[in-house]
Amino acid sequence: MGVPFIDLKRFEEGFADAFTEKVRTLTANTSFVGGAEVQKLEETLCIENNVGHAIACANGTDALQLALRAVGVGPGDTVLLPDMTFWATFEAVVNVGGRPVTVDVNAADLQMDFDLFVQAVEKHKPKAAMIVHLYGWASARLKEFRAFCAEKNIPLVEDGAQCYGVRVDDASVYAGALASTISFYPAKTFGAAGDGGAVLTDDDEIAARLRSLGNHGREQHYAHGSVGWNSRMDSFQAAFLNLSHPHLAKRLDSRREMARRYEKDLPALGWQCLKPPANIIENGYLNVTLHDPAKRPALEAHLKAKGIGFGMVYPGAVQDQKGAQGWIAGSVGGDVARRVSTSVINLPLFPYMTEPEYQEVLEACRSFSG
Ligand SMILES: *Cc1c(COP(=O)(O)O)cnc(C)c1O
């Protein structure tokens, strides 16, 4: 039969028709950019995540660039970021004129390492820092990162592209951040029908800057207070997200359920399967298993032969990307990110994965004799 790594086609009964109908109405009204749907989405984001402001934008990468600009990062400013993340985190720093310095990740939770981060702050005196909540959970030491940055006056931008639905100490992971970002790319846990993003903050001034920067630095319609760019969200994406939202809890529960079963069943097969830190409820974005790098190619071949899709998130450390050369201004720590990149395999995980599919994946894992 085979099981894909991800299948986004499993919409709830009636969902696709409801969206088609909505597109018809928005088109008839020529409600194309911003407007009531975007406003409704922003309100939902504020209420659900307990934050004061949500500013929708064009995508998750722009959300990072808006957040960096809004907290004051500009040309020549040093910004710390983890050595294991999606490339957009690095790009965002460079695109706003910053000098990126990578910090290695922690071997236990695979998030940026707090002790190395403290060392990196002392050594590089950054203007700002970015933390990334990767794999569908977050650092066990998130509160310490926030407190340390607040004490040192280092604005901390939180890349929350992958973590919609993550709970830390029973609150939304986004709550309490100075500025955190969301990506609504279709494959993320709260996915749109195209690109979309948002920045969340409690700070009124940061919120005002975000809103203006993503709309050509506008203060009024033709009064431009700064040089921003166009990063507005279109109404179709907001409408798709608004229609998705009532189903989101079920989608997340279904992801979490399978994530937990992997965490329970794979160790019984002798596999190393990562689990979120104890104070964090994951959103089931990704399954993460680690293997002996020498054996990983054989495992890849085995899964391919069995028709089981898989991912490698991520196959390289940030500092080793060709595109980093010429931009990277330093890297702090060891080679945990590198080692993870040579040993990681992500098994299929998506909303409404079925029991037979799960059993087929598990059977393929069981029959691997690496
Ligand atoms: C997806 C992702 C982004 C970028 O989001 P887009 O909406 O694709 O621009 C940034 N950071 C991380 C960690 C991501 O996973």
Side-chain angles (χ1 to χ4, degrees):
M1 185 171 82
V3 182
F5 173 54
I6 179 167
D7 181 6
L8 298 179
K9 291 191 289 294
R10 302 189 189 189
F11 296 124
E12 296 80 7
E13 175 93 31
F15 176 83
D17 288 341
F19 181 58
T20 309
E21 196 46 47
K22 180 63 87 173
V23 167
R24 220 186 295 279
T25 312
L26 291 172
T27 305
N29 298 338
T30 60
S31 306
F32 293 142
V33 176
E37 292 287 346
V38 172
Q39 202 181 335
K40 181 176 172 198
L41 174 68
E42 290 178 342
E43 282 163 16
T44 301
L45 295 174
C46 286
I47 294 165
E48 182 159 77
N49 299 292
N50 196 22
V51 293
H53 305 274
I55 291 87
C57 65
N59 56 65
T61 309
D62 270 8
L64 293 170
Q65 290 167 194
L66 287 167
L68 287 169
R69 287 276 306 272
V71 302
V73 176
D77 290 337
T78 298
V79 179
L80 303 182
L81 75 153
D83 198 22
M84 180 58 71
T85 179
F86 180 59
W87 182 238
T89 320
F90 187 94
E91 284 178 316
V93 175
V94 174
N95 284 340
V96 302
R99 301 169 70 246
V101 171
T102 59
V103 179
D104 204 5
V105 296
N106 179 282
D109 62 21
L110 308 187
Q111 315 290 308
M112 190 159 65
D113 186 272
F114 181 72
D115 297 323
L116 289 174
F117 179 75
V118 172
Q119 284 176 30
V121 165
E122 272 154 27
K123 181 159 178 223
H124 289 279
K125 307 270 182 286
K127 169 76 187 234
M130 298 171 92
I131 189 169
V132 184
H133 309 313
L134 216 57
Y135 304 119
W137 59 81
S139 167
R141 303 180 75 177
L142 177 57
K143 295 233 154 87
E144 286 171 86
F145 276 103
R146 287 178 182 169
F148 178 78
C149 287
E151 180 199 316
K152 298 278 177 189
N153 250 318
I154 298 167
L156 180 65
V157 169
E158 305 193 16
D159 180 344
Q162 303 185 357
C163 68
Y164 204 96
V166 170
R167 314 267 310 162
V168 181
D169 298 326
D170 212 30
S172 163
V173 60
Y174 302 118
L178 176 71
S180 59
T181 67
I182 304 173
S183 164
F184 299 114
Y185 180 72
K188 306 288 161 96
T189 53
F190 190 12
D195 284 309
V199 189
L200 309 179
T201 184
D202 284 325
D203 186 296
D204 297 346
E205 281 169 28
I206 290 176
R209 282 198 289 273
L210 287 166
R211 188 114 9 234
S212 175
L213 281 168
N215 191 14
H216 302 294
R218 276 194 166 109
E219 287 171 345
Q220 290 164 33
H221 194 69
Y222 288 121
H224 305 276
S226 64
V227 174
W229 70 102
N230 172 10
S231 185
R232 296 176 300 235
M233 179 181 272
D234 71 73
S235 325
F236 295 114
Q237 300 314 324
F240 188 92
L241 292 164
N242 288 331
L243 288 171
S244 299
H245 190 259
H247 303 291
L248 186 59
K250 246 190 312 149
R251 293 182 193 176
L252 291 171
D253 280 346
S254 143
R255 282 178 175 274
R256 285 187 188 114
E257 159 80 10
M258 288 309 181
R260 285 181 188 139
R261 290 182 64 183
Y262 279 132
E263 287 158 20
K264 183 166 115 353
D265 294 340
L266 291 174
L269 303 179
W271 285 44
Q272 187 187 353
C273 179
L274 272 284
K275 268 178 154 172
N279 62 328
I280 293 175
I281 297 173
E282 66 187 315
N283 63 5
Y285 179 62
L286 269 186
N287 155 270
V288 183
T289 65
L290 298 178
H291 304 267
D292 176 349
K295 292 182 180 161
R296 190 173 72 170
L299 176 56
E300 288 169 50
H302 175 79
L303 292 172
K304 269 188 196 140
K306 296 276 179 194
I308 306 298
F310 59 89
M312 286 185 192
V313 178
Y314 291 99
V318 169
Q319 62 171 317
D320 294 331
Q321 297 302 310
K322 186 165 137 234
Q325 312 321 312
W327 298 110
I328 192 162
S331 54
V332 175
D335 62 353
V336 177
R338 277 186 181 136
R339 276 191 285 125
V340 169
S341 73
T342 61
S343 44
V344 68
I345 290 278
N346 314 98
L347 294 173
L349 187 58
F350 47 86
Y352 309 127
M353 189 177 169
T354 66
E355 181 63 29
E357 284 173 331
Y358 179 76
Q359 291 304 337
E360 187 175 337
V361 176
L362 204 63
E363 190 45 45
C365 297
R366 193 176 287 122
S367 64
F368 178 62
S369 50

